[in-house]
């Protein structure tokens, strides 16, 4: 059938097209069915939604992902996607062939799976797991699609952390240390999806994080490093879509995590990687044994890809650093660069940088680089290259002015700070949308506090957000105070 | 946050709301996140999509399912739905508690699951199955939601067929036979989703199929029976949404099938049910042993619900009747009622009606009722009550005028007619949208044919649809001719 294309401004992530109900019936298309759209230039896949008023008969309404389409197109019902059968095989716990995984990845890449099918994909991987050979295939095929970056000969250092730990802003410390030591480290990071800040959100407090590929190359040539938002370069469009499907279900199947992380590292051209696996309550990996197993699997796949990877298993049962939320984390980072700031954040960043330099075969002592001010100097260089103010100080970074101090209702020691709950409070306070919103932990784990002492301060920009965060904190009590060395986490 | 509601005409099945990107950021809502919408009257759940132009800041765009909302509303981010955790449990192969199943059903009912989550739900049930106790819970909770019909004291007969067999239009024969014998049979049927005709599409060739609840009661009081579209009464909105999610994946997990069928039968007030399970290649149930097991499970759940059920296992490896597509099937039905028409359709309908009358404890011989013209008389009564022409004849029902005969390329016997492929041809020819489009099988299984004989005729309304169907038939060859009694189905 012939249609005339008209843009419809709906920013859905899927290539949704709106058809008039009569046209959809005529075509034999139900909502969520796929259609093939042929124009002079190219052939695209669309996913059908039905309307009676938004578009007239004979008109194909193209949403965001299809707005490059114009003029007249020829539309037919698409055959059922072959990769749906592969997803069904995985639901039946069959091991997938390399070619089946290739088809799934290609279909996700060309946006040919609807949300029901994407939900089934992550469910199948979660329910039945991925074998090592499936994980290898998935990583390779995910690497094949999307942009790549190239850096010529020599070492390209990288760092990744499996999430779930609040604060934990080590990247803006590891990057300048490693770059100052002489290794190239073109670091891409993500924005928050469900957390109060992603590394890209925090770095954005200092400077721009979104750049074209060419400019990124220049920044790295000038400074040896960069701290940019991964979404600037479409390194792994497939991964973005998978994350979008995992998110509502809070699923994070291991094989998928490995493929997602390593395919991005390979695409960005990394040759040496330190991969941090925090474990503990509230972190993504809860048990030490699971962390060890994940580390082994990561190493096996990265060996296969030719990326030299060292995994670190770190304690992740509580936040690292004192600030949570972009501005508050940025202040911690500046603190450490200036020779003060939270001790745990400093120690962890130095250790990760040491390991990374060691596997890269680059000499240099991270703690010396930090103490000498070389790291601060390099940080300023990178911030300036990314259009920021190199002379920024902690006083320039002002946390949200609406505050509430959450006090201890007994004396004792801080026994427990819950990552998920603390993140929940910071998000309700407005982070990451309000960059200066978040939490400052006035006391860390094992610190002694007296009844009435402030345990943490909530910062917000808007009064109602402060109120929402306060209520949540009061009902959930993310920081617990007990007796010294108390091991009681909860009473069931 | 406060919003003003404006309707947006998008006919999506989910309660999608459009928010301006800035508002979504401010709210901390990602696409597909759920929001709680509070108005003076009620509280609703919406699923977020983001736009920059379709709605302004401060405006909440309400799509079809939420168009009863008006005026000013207060919006907040919804807590993660509790039933998502239950779905995750099922993905982890845990047996669900009754209360968990209740939460899932309630959330599907109030449209609180997005497509990713619905995809995960059907995937979880498919991957890990449902125990008998889970199936019982699911059936009961699905019965609790949606409309119900009541018929006072006495027997209420019903009939259901597990799908997959092309043609097979027994309902418009069983209903008048059983009603003429004196049993009440208020039959609801579905429209085609992926097939070339549902019973409701075929009955619509004769009369209306969409009625208000009150009118349905009157029709049944007048005639003892009805043949209406189930969508007229929202007997199981949950089932409609589940089917929508199963469809793109071609999943049909057994426990879900049982719960879907029996909850609808219970809601419509049926007390006695004959349930036909066709098995064979191309049918939904492929093996006899699977069919037997499914029958046992059906009986167990219906015992529990207090519906007296008898299951029949029938051969389903080839179409039943000669016509495929609404008008062509309607002609077969009229043929049988007039004492001729396809023998297999007649025999199957009579047998199902016999069993149904037997379990209902109602005397009467279906073949006598058919031969005497009582069934035809009753059929005309029902058609008239449903606003159709009671004097309709086969000649009034004209198949699509654009035709193509598909000829045998060798002499021999018809060994095989593939349900799925035949349906595929009929759909491409335009069925069910073009009611007179479809296929007429000129020869049935085991019939002798000569090279050059027409095996089946494709009927279409539009030239290009005929062409599309012809091409598909030529590449797929849905009817195979071989030597007498040949058992070869395919050569691999």
């Amino acid at each position: 059938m012939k249609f005339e294309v008209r843009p419809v401004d709906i920013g859905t992530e899927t290539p949704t097209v709106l058809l008039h109900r009569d046209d959809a019936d005529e075509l034999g298309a139900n909502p969520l069915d796929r259609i093939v759209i042929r124009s002079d230039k190219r052939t695209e896949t669309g996913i059908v939604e039905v309307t009676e008023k938004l578009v007239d008969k004979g008109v194909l309404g193209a949403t965001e992902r299809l707005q490059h389409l114009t003029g007249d197109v020829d539309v037919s019902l698409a055959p059922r996607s072959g990769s749906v059968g592969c997803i069904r095989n995985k639901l039946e716990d069959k091991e997938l062939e390399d070619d089946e995984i290739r088809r799934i990845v290609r279909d996700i890449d060309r946006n040919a799976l609807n949300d029901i099918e994407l939900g089934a994909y992550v469910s199948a991987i979660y329910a039945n797991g991925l074998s090592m050979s499936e994980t290898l295939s998935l990583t390779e095929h995910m690497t094949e699609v999307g942009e790549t970056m190239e850096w010529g000969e020599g070492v390209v250092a990288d760092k990744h952390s499996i999430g779930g730990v609040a604060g934990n802003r080590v990247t803006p410390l590891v990057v300048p240390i490693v770059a100052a030591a002489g290794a190239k480290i073109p670091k891409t990071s993500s924005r928050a999806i469900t957390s109060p800040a992603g590394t890209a959100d925090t770095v954005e407090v200092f400077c721009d994080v979104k750049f074209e590929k060419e400019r990124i190359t220049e920044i790295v040539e000038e400074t040896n490093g960069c701290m940019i938002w991964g979404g600037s370069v479409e390194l792994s469009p497939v991964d973005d879509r998978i994350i979008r499907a995992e998110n509502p279900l809070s699923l994070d199947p291991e094989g998928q995590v490995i493929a997602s992380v390593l395919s991005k590292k390979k695409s960005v051209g990394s040759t040496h990687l330190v991969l941090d696996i925090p474990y503990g309550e509230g972190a993504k990996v809860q048990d030490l044994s699971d962390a060890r197993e994940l580390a082994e699997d990561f190493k096996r796949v990265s060996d296969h890809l030719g990326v030299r990877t060292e995994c670190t298993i770190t304690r992740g049962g509580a936040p690292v650093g004192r600030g949570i939320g972009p501005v508050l984390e940025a202040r911690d980072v500046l603190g450490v660069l200036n020779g003060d700031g939270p001790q745990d954040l400093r120690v962890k960043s130095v250790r990760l940088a040491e390991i990374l330099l060691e596997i890269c075969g680059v000499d240099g002592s991270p703690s010396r680089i930090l103490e000498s001010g070389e790291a601060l100097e390099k940080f300023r260089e990178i911030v300036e290259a990314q259009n920021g103010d190199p002379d920024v100080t902690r006083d320039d970074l002002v946390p949200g002015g609406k505050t509430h101090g959450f006090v201890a209702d007994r004396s004792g020691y801080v026994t427990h700070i819950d990552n998920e709950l603390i993140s929940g409070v910071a998000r309700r306070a407005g982070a990451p949308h309000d960059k200066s919103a978040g939490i400052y932990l006035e006391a860390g784990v094992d610190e002694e506090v007296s009844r009435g002492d402030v345990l943490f301060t909530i910062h917000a920009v808007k009064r109602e957000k402060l109120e929402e965060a306060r209520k949540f904190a009061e009902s959930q009590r993310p920081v617990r105070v007990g007796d010294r060395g108390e091991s009681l986490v909860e009473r069931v």
Side-chain angles (χ1 to χ4, degrees), chain A:
Chain A
M1 281 172 75
K2 301 283 176 198
F3 285 87
E4 183 194 335
V5 177
R6 296 247 182 89
V8 172
D9 173 55
I10 301 179
T12 148
E13 295 291 314
T14 47
T16 301
V17 297
L18 296 178
L19 294 182
H20 191 278
R21 194 175 296 275
D22 293 349
D23 288 338
D25 280 353
E26 166 87 35
L27 205 55
N30 295 306
L32 290 184
D33 273 354
R34 264 173 295 269
I35 55 172
V36 177
I37 308 164
R38 283 186 192 83
S39 65
D40 291 351
K41 286 162 251 166
R42 54 206 282 185
T43 298
E44 297 270 355
T45 300
I47 293 174
V48 173
E49 277 295 355
V50 168
T51 175
E52 278 172 9
K53 287 186 210 133
L54 261 193
V55 301
D56 294 327
K57 279 208 238 182
V59 171
L60 178 139
T63 61
E64 192 169 298
R65 295 259 160 192
L66 291 169
Q67 299 208 337
H68 50 275
L69 288 172
T70 47
D72 293 329
V73 293
D74 187 55
V75 168
S76 56
L77 205 57
R80 186 145 295 200
S81 163
S83 66
V84 171
C86 309
I87 293 171
R88 210 165 47 233
N89 284 342
K90 191 71 223 176
L91 282 172
E92 290 166 7
D93 204 12
K94 294 177 188 148
E95 183 166 24
L96 297 182
E97 307 281 333
D98 181 70
D99 183 59
E100 292 182 288
I101 292 175
R102 192 183 59 80
R103 284 165 81 171
I104 294 172
V105 171
R106 291 281 161 93
D107 272 357
I108 298 176
D109 183 45
R110 65 194 184 87
N111 245 328
L113 296 188
N114 64 35
D115 284 352
I116 299 271
E117 293 156 349
L118 282 171
Y121 168 72
V122 297
S123 298
I125 305 292
Y126 183 71
N128 293 325
L130 287 175
S131 69
M132 183 46 57
S133 113
E134 288 175 317
T135 305
L136 287 171
S137 290
L138 182 60
T139 313
E140 280 185 344
H141 295 304
M142 284 181 70
T143 309
E144 282 160 19
V145 295
E147 290 286 333
T148 54
M149 302 206 65
E150 272 159 45
W151 306 99
E153 291 292 295
V155 160
V156 178
D158 209 339
K159 177 253 148 203
H160 187 84
S161 186
I162 304 297
V165 180
N168 198 30
R169 205 50 66 213
V170 295
T171 291
L173 294 164
V174 171
V175 169
I177 293 171
V178 170
K184 198 174 279 176
I185 181 164
K187 180 76 181 88
T188 64
S189 303
S190 54
R191 290 191 187 278
I193 300 175
T194 55
S195 74
T199 293
D201 300 305
T202 300
V203 172
E204 210 175 27
V205 170
F206 297 107
C207 56
D208 293 344
V209 296
K210 190 176 172 185
F211 294 96
E212 302 282 320
K213 223 169 122 174
E214 291 65 35
R215 179 64 197 138
I216 296 169
T217 312
E218 287 170 14
I219 294 169
V220 176
E221 273 167 11
E222 284 166 29
T223 69
N224 247 4
C226 69
M227 303 180 288
I228 58 147
W229 172 48
S232 309
V233 256
E234 285 226 306
L235 292 175
S236 190
V238 168
D239 191 42
D240 297 344
R241 278 164 213 157
I242 291 172
I243 288 172
R244 180 173 156 280
E246 289 173 339
N247 192 30
L249 301 163
S250 302
L251 297 183
D252 226 354
E254 180 185 307
Q256 186 63 57
V257 169
I258 294 174
S260 291
V261 169
L262 292 180
S263 64
K264 276 191 181 172
K265 297 306 175 193
K266 186 76 185 171
S267 294
V268 86
S270 310
T271 60
H272 293 71
L273 170 67
V274 62
L275 191 123
D276 178 33
I277 305 176
Y279 83 97
E281 201 200 340
K284 280 201 185 162
V285 181
Q286 308 256 325
D287 302 315
L288 184 55
S289 61
D290 289 350
R292 284 184 182 133
E293 206 180 296
L294 183 60
E296 285 305 318
D297 288 345
F298 255 113
K299 289 193 79 150
R300 233 169 285 158
V301 178
S302 46
D303 274 359
H304 184 87
L305 284 178
V307 177
R308 167 89 170 85
T309 297
E310 191 85 11
C311 295
T312 57
I313 295 175
T314 54
R315 275 195 220 105
V320 172
R322 292 297 177 92
I324 288 125
V327 161
L328 287 144
E329 294 170 16
R331 285 170 57 91
D332 276 357
V333 167
L334 268 193
V336 172
L337 287 168
N338 280 290
D340 111 43
Q343 189 61 12
D344 57 348
L345 181 63
R346 182 189 191 284
V347 168
K348 181 164 178 181
S349 305
V350 163
R351 191 70 193 109
L352 291 180
E354 275 171 3
I355 295 168
L356 187 50
L357 288 177
E358 185 192 312
I359 59 171
C360 286
V362 172
D363 285 340
S365 152
S367 44
R368 198 197 44 72
I369 292 171
L370 208 47
E371 276 155 31
S372 67
E374 284 168 77
L376 178 61
E377 187 65 21
K378 181 55 77 181
F379 179 82
R380 288 180 165 155
E381 254 180 60
I382 297 172
V383 165
E384 188 167 22
Q386 295 188 192
N387 309 330
D389 172 11
D391 301 319
V392 62
T393 68
R394 271 178 82 170
D395 294 340
D396 298 328
L397 309 176
V398 185
K402 309 270 187 281
T403 63
H404 173 81
F406 191 96
V407 299
D409 57 4
R410 59 162 286 184
S411 295
Y413 292 82
V414 172
T415 56
H416 189 68
I417 304 180
D418 189 293
N419 282 309
E420 261 182 86
L421 295 177
I422 273 290
S423 293
V425 177
R427 248 184 109 81
R428 279 165 182 79
H433 179 256
D434 298 334
K435 285 211 174 296
S436 65
I439 278 177
Y440 188 77
L441 299 167
E442 308 286 349
V445 170
D446 286 342
E447 272 181 47
E448 188 172 6
V449 293
S450 302
R451 184 188 161 104
D453 281 359
V454 175
L455 293 172
F456 59 90
T457 305
I458 307 174
H459 292 267
V461 177
K462 302 201 189 72
R463 174 70 49 197
E464 64 270 25
K465 297 258 175 191
L466 181 69
E467 196 47 27
E468 213 185 308
R470 188 191 60 75
K471 273 191 206 154
F472 183 77
E474 257 159 32
S475 72
Q476 302 292 326
R477 312 195 81 75
V479 176
R480 277 172 236 158
V481 176
D483 295 327
R484 173 153 230 169
E486 186 172 320
S487 62
L488 184 72
V489 171
E490 61 189 55
R491 202 165 154 178
V492 181

